[in-house]
C-alpha cells in the first residue's frame, strides 16, 4: 500500500502546475513525429508513378522548336530569299523555294516556263527572266561579234549569281527562323538555336541537291506556254546532241536565243525542215473525241509530219452510226496509217479501207510510206462494253504471232520492216527482235521499254484524253501524242518529242524531248542493220533554236465534244 501510494505522488522536485503545462506540448510532439518521418521519407524517394503522369515536355519542346525552325526558314525564303543577278544582257531573279520534288524552273516571260529535273531535294531553284537590259542588248546588236563570247560571260554571271543566292539564302533562313523563334519563345537562346538549325537544314538540303545533281537534265526538259513549240523547229537529233552536252553551254545558249527572240521577233527567218529527218506522228485511243482531229492537224502542220500512225481505238462502240466520225482522217495533211483496236469493229475497218490517204493494216500487211516500211495487225478482240467476254492475252499473242510471221517473211525477202504496229502491247511484244521499233496503245498512258531482243516498244497515251467518257472522271485525262524523228537513211529512231496537252477545260501544253541511249553524247551508235540494244532511254531536249520562229500549239485548249 505504501508503494502504491508513493507511485501516485508527484515528483517531489517538479511542481504539479509545470507538469500540467508541459504535457500537451509533449503529446503534440509525439503525434507529429510520424508525420515528419513520412515527409522526410517521401522527400528522399520519388514515387514510381510520377514519370507516368507527367507529360514528356522535352519531346514536345523539341518538336515545337523544329516546327518553328522550318516555318521560319520557309517564311525567310519567301520574304527575303530572292536575289537579283544580271545574266548576260538580261536581269534575272533567282530564288530557292520549298519543294517536295526539287528541280529547276526557268520562267522566260512571256514565252513560258522551262522545267528541268536537275536535282531532288526539299528546295527548288527558280530563275525568272525579269527584263532585257536595253544598254547591254543594244551593245550586242551594234556588235554582233560579241555573241561568240556571250557563253563564257553568261557562265561567269550564273556562277556569281549562284554564289550570291547561296549567301542570300543563308541570311534569309537564319533571319526568318531567328525572328520567329524570338516571337514565339521570347528567349534569345532559343531564337538563336532556331537560326542555327535553319542553317543546318539549308546545308542538308544543299548536300542532297549536290548528291542528286543531274547535269544532263537539260537533255530532257519540259516546256510550257509558247516554249512548248520550240522542239518542233529542231532538225537532225545527232547534231543537237553535239551542241547540248553540258549544262553551262545550254543555259548560255538559252539566254542567247531568248535575246535574239526579244530583239528581232518580227524578222525571224522561216524554218526549213531538215531533209535528213523523217517525222512520224504517233496517236492512239482517240475514242470519238472530235477535238483530236484539230489537234492532230495542228501538229502535222507545226512539226512538218511525213506520216501519221494511229494504233487504234479511234471509235468507242464501233457502230455504223459512228463511221462518219472518221471522215477527217483523209484531210489531216499527211498519210494516215491505222490498225484496229478493241473498240473498233470490222465495220469501222471496212469504212476506212480505201479512203483517200488512209492505209489500213491487218494480219501483218506491209506498206511503205515516206520511205518507211510499216507492218501491222488489228486487235483480235472487239470489247466495246462489259457484255462482251474478252478472249484475253492468248488471243493477243496469237495475233502478235501472225505479225511476227509477216516480219520474218519480209526479212528473208531482203525488205525488213522498220515499224511494227499493234493496238495491244501484248501483241506488239511478239515483234521483239524482228523490227527496231514497235508502236501500240490501249493503256491510255505512255510506257517506253526496250524488249529483250532489242526492239523498242513505245506505248502511246490517249490522244482523245480518254474520249467522251472522260467527262465521267473527276480529273480530266491529258491529251497525248508523240513525234518520232527517224533517220532517212537507216530509218532508225533518232529522237522523239512527247506532247501533252491539258484535258477537258485545260489549256496547258508541255513538250519534252527524249533521245535513245545510243544517241546520247559520247555513246556509240548501234549498227544500222539490227535493232537498238536494250537499255533505258533518256532524253535530251532542245531549247529555242537560234534564229527560228516559235509557233504555239493550236488546239491545246480545245475540249472534247
Amino acid at each position: 500500500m505504501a508503494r502504491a501510494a508513493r507511485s501516485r505522488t508527484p515528483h517531489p522536485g517538479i511542481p504539479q502546475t509545470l507538469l500540467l503545462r508541459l504535457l500537451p506540448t509533449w503529446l503534440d510532439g509525439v503525434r507529429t513525429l510520424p508525420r515528419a518521418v513520412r515527409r522526410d521519407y517521401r522527400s528522399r524517394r520519388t514515387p514510381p508513378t510520377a514519370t507516368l503522369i507527367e507529360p514528356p515536355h522535352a519531346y514536345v519542346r523539341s518538336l515545337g522548336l523544329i516546327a518553328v525552325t522550318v516555318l521560319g526558314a520557309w517564311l525567310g525564303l519567301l520574304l527575303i530569299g530572292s536575289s537579283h543577278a544580271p545574266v548576260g544582257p538580261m536581269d534575272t531573279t533567282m530564288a530557292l523555294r520549298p519543294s517536295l520534288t526539287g528541280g529547276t524552273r526557268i520562267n522566260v516571260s512571256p514565252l513560258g516556263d522551262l522545267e528541268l529535273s536537275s536535282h531532288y531535294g526539299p528546295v527548288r531553284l527558280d530563275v525568272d527572266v525579269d527584263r532585257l537590259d536595253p544598254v547591254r542588248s543594244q551593245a550586242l546588236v551594234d556588235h554582233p561579234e560579241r555573241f561568240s563570247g556571250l557563253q563564257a560571260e553568261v557562265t561567269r554571271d550564273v556562277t556569281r549569281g549562284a554564289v550570291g543566292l547561296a549567301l542570300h539564302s543563308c541570311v534569309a533562313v537564319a533571319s526568318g527562323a531567328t525572328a520567329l523563334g524570338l516571337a514565339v519563345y521570347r528567349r534569345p537562346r532559343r531564337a538563336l538555336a532556331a537560326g542555327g538549325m535553319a542553317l543546318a537544314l539549308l546545308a542538308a538540303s544543299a548536300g542532297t541537291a549536290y548528291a542528286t545533281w543531274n547535269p544532263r537534265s537539260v537533255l530532257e526538259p519540259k516546256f510550257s506556254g509558247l516554249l512548248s513549240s520550240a522542239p518542233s523547229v529542231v532538225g537532225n537529233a545527232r547534231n543537237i546532241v553535239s551542241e547540248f552536252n553540258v549544262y553551262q553551254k545550254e543555259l548560255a545558249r538559252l539566254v542567247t536565243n531568248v535575246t535574239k527572240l526579244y530583239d528581232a521577233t518580227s524578222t525571224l527567218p522561216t524554218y526549213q525542215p531538215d531533209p535528213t529527218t523523217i517525222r512520224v506522228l504517233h496517236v492512239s485511243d482517240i475514242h470519238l473525241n472530235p477535238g483530236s482531229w484539230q489537234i492532230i492537224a495542228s501538229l502535222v502542220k507545226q512539226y512538218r509530219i511525213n506520216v501519221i500512225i494511229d494504233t487504234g481505238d479511234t471509235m468507242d462502240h464501233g457502230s455504223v452510226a459512228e463511221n462518219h466520225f472518221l471522215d477527217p482522217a483523209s484531210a489531216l495533211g499527211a498519210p494516215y496509217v491505222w490498225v484496229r483496236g478493241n473498240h473498233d469493229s470490222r465495220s469501222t475497218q471496212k469504212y476506212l479501207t480505201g479512203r483517200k490517204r488512209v492505209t489500213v493494216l491487218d494480219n501483218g500487211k506491209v506498206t511503205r510510206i515516206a520511205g518507211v516500211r510499216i507492218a501491222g495487225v488489228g486487235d483480235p478482240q472487239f470489247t466495246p462494253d462489259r457484255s462482251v467476254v474478252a478472249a484475253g492475252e492468248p488471243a493477243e499473242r496469237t495475233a502478235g504471232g501472225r505479225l511476227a510471221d509477216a516480219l520474218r517473211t519480209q526479212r528473208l525477202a531482203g525488205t525488213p520492216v522498220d515499224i511494227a504496229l499493234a493496238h495491244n502491247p501484248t501483241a506488239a511484244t511478239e515483234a521483239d527482235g524482228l523490227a527496231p521499233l514497235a508502236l501500240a496503245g490501249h493503256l491510255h498512258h505512255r510506257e517506253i521499254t526496250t524488249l529483250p531482243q532489242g526492239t523498242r516498244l513505245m506505248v502511246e497515251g490517249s490522244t482523245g484524253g480518254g474520249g467522251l467518257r472522260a467527262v465521267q472522271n473527276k480529273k480530266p485525262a491529258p491529251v497525248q501524242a508523240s513525234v518520232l524523228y527517224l533517220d532517212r537513211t537507216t530509218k532508225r529512231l533518232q529522237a522523239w518529242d512527247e506532247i501533252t496537252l491539258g484535258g477537258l477545260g485545260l489549256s496547258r501544253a508541255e513538250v519534252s524531248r527524249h533521245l535513245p541511249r545510243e544517241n546520247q553524247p559520247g555513246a556509240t551508235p548501234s549498227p544500222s542493220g539490227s535493232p537498238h540494244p536494250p537499255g533505258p532511254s533518256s532524253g535530251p531536249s532542245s531549247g529555242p533554236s537560234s534564229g527560228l520562229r516559235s509557233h504555239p500549239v493550236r488546239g491545246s485548249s480545245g475540249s472534247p465534244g
Side-chain angles (χ1 to χ4, degrees), residues 95-222:
L96 295 178
R97 293 290 181 255
S99 173
L100 297 177
T101 58
T104 300
R105 183 187 65 84
I106 302 174
N107 178 26
V108 187
S109 179
L111 302 181
D113 294 341
L114 176 65
E115 297 181 5
L116 306 175
S117 299
S118 57
H119 65 277
Y120 297 97
V123 290
R124 183 186 72 235
L125 174 61
D126 285 358
V127 180
D128 294 332
V129 178
D130 298 330
R131 72 186 186 98
L132 188 66
D133 184 84
V135 177
R136 299 196 301 269
S137 60
Q138 186 63 38
L140 288 175
V141 174
D142 296 338
H143 304 280
E145 66 277 4
R146 293 187 180 181
F147 277 105
S148 59
L150 185 59
Q151 292 188 358
E153 179 185 350
V154 168
T155 301
R156 291 193 300 268
D157 291 344
V158 170
T159 302
R160 286 195 297 264
V163 173
L165 176 63
L167 297 177
H168 204 86
S169 299
C170 290
V171 174
V173 298
S175 302
T178 302
L180 186 61
L182 191 61
V184 173
Y185 296 110
R186 300 187 182 279
R187 295 180 181 178
R189 182 176 298 178
R190 286 229 175 235
L192 292 176
M197 289 180 61
L199 288 176
L201 179 62
L202 181 62
S205 302
T208 303
Y210 179 79
T212 59
W213 177 252
N214 179 21
R216 293 192 175 184
S217 60
V218 71
L219 298 178
E220 194 172 359
K222 285 187 177 181

Side-chain angles (χ1 to χ4, degrees), residues 36-54:
V37 172
R38 289 196 303 271
R39 188 162 52 248
D40 180 74
Y41 175 79
R42 289 173 180 173
S43 66
R44 298 185 181 185
R45 182 177 183 273
T46 303
T49 57
T51 56
L52 299 178
I53 298 175
E54 293 182 1

Side-chain angles (χ1 to χ4, degrees), residues 481-494:
S482 296
V483 177
L484 315 179
Y485 299 91
L486 306 181
D487 186 271
R488 185 170 293 276
T489 303
T490 64
K491 310 302 185 297
R492 294 299 187 262
L493 182 67
Q494 302 296 298

Side-chain angles (χ1 to χ4, degrees), residues 197-340:
M197 289 180 61
L199 288 176
L201 179 62
L202 181 62
S205 302
T208 303
Y210 179 79
T212 59
W213 177 252
N214 179 21
R216 293 192 175 184
S217 60
V218 71
L219 298 178
E220 194 172 359
K222 285 187 177 181
F223 299 92
S224 63
L226 295 179
L227 288 179
S228 61
S229 61
S232 68
V233 294
V234 177
N236 186 278
R238 295 189 182 277
N239 295 334
I240 300 167
V241 175
S242 63
E243 298 176 2
F244 299 100
N245 55 349
V246 293
Y247 180 78
Q248 289 84 353
K249 291 183 180 180
E250 173 60 17
L251 185 58
R253 184 177 295 274
L254 175 63
V255 175
T256 302
N257 294 336
V258 174
T259 301
K260 293 182 178 180
L261 189 61
Y262 270 93
D263 180 63
T265 304
S266 60
T267 60
L268 295 178
T270 304
Y271 166 68
Q272 298 296 329
D274 187 347
T276 66
T277 303
I278 300 174
R279 305 184 180 202
V280 178
L281 177 61
H282 182 199
V283 301
S284 189
D285 296 86
I286 294 176
H287 284 290
L288 285 182
N289 183 351
S292 299
W293 297 124
Q294 300 176 6
I295 296 174
I296 293 174
S298 176
L299 294 176
V300 168
K301 181 178 180 181
Q302 178 183 351
Y303 283 82
R304 310 296 194 268
I305 297 299
N306 301 108
V307 57
I308 306 168
I309 293 180
D310 186 345
T311 47
D313 271 7
T314 314
M315 314 297 269
D316 209 7
H317 294 87
S319 63
V320 176
E322 296 173 332
N323 285 343
H324 288 288
F325 171 77
L326 302 169
D327 292 345
S330 301
L332 294 175
Y336 191 84
V337 179
W338 182 87
V339 292
R340 186 178 67 251

